[in-house]
Amino acid sequence: MMSDSKVNSPVEFSAGDIYKQETPTEKFARKSKQDPFVPIGIAGLVVSLGYGAYAYRSRRGMSTSIYLMRLRVIAQTTVVGAMICGVGYSLVSSTLKKDE
C-alpha cells in the first residue's frame, strides 16, 4: 500500500510548474551557446568528409581501405583540434573571469 508520505527527492516541484519540451533545433542552439567549439568541430567534420567523398573519385590507384583510413584520421584530427581549441578557450575565459 502506498502511504501519503513525501517521496525522498532533492527537488520539490509544485503543481504550477510547467515544463516545455525542447525541439532538437532549440537544444542545439542552447548547447552551441554553452560550448561554441562543438558546432565548429561538427562543421569541420562535415566539410572534411564532404571533401573526402569528392576526392574519392580521384584516388589514383590507392586501395579503398587505405583511402578510408586516411580520411578517418583527417576527420578525427579536425574534431580533436576543435575540442582542444574549445578547452583552451574555456580555460582562458575562466582564468580571465577569476582575475576580474
Side-chain angles (χ1 to χ4, degrees):
M1 299 283 298
M2 296 287 292
S3 64
D4 289 335
S5 65
K6 288 186 176 183
V7 176
N8 293 332
S9 171
V11 179
E12 293 186 24
F13 300 104
S14 65
D17 290 338
I18 297 174
Y19 296 97
K20 181 180 176 250
Q21 184 73 26
E22 267 186 329
T23 63
T25 305
E26 293 171 339
K27 185 175 181 179
F28 183 74
R30 180 176 54 84
K31 293 284 187 177
S32 296
K33 289 178 185 174
Q34 290 174 349
D35 296 320
F37 283 93
V38 171
I40 293 171
I42 292 171
L45 174 67
V46 169
V47 167
S48 64
L49 290 178
Y51 171 75
Y54 176 75
Y56 178 73
R57 296 169 59 187
S58 63
R59 56 191 162 100
R60 296 189 188 140
M62 186 186 309
S63 71
T64 302
S65 63
I66 298 294
Y67 181 80
L68 290 177
M69 283 193 291
R70 290 180 67 187
L71 181 61
R72 178 186 61 92
V73 169
I74 292 168
Q76 285 178 334
T77 302
T78 304
V79 172
V80 169
M83 289 173 56
I84 289 172
C85 290
V87 168
Y89 174 79
S90 297
L91 182 66
V92 169
S93 66
S94 66
T95 304
L96 291 177
K97 286 180 182 178
K98 285 182 183 179
D99 290 341
E100 292 178 356

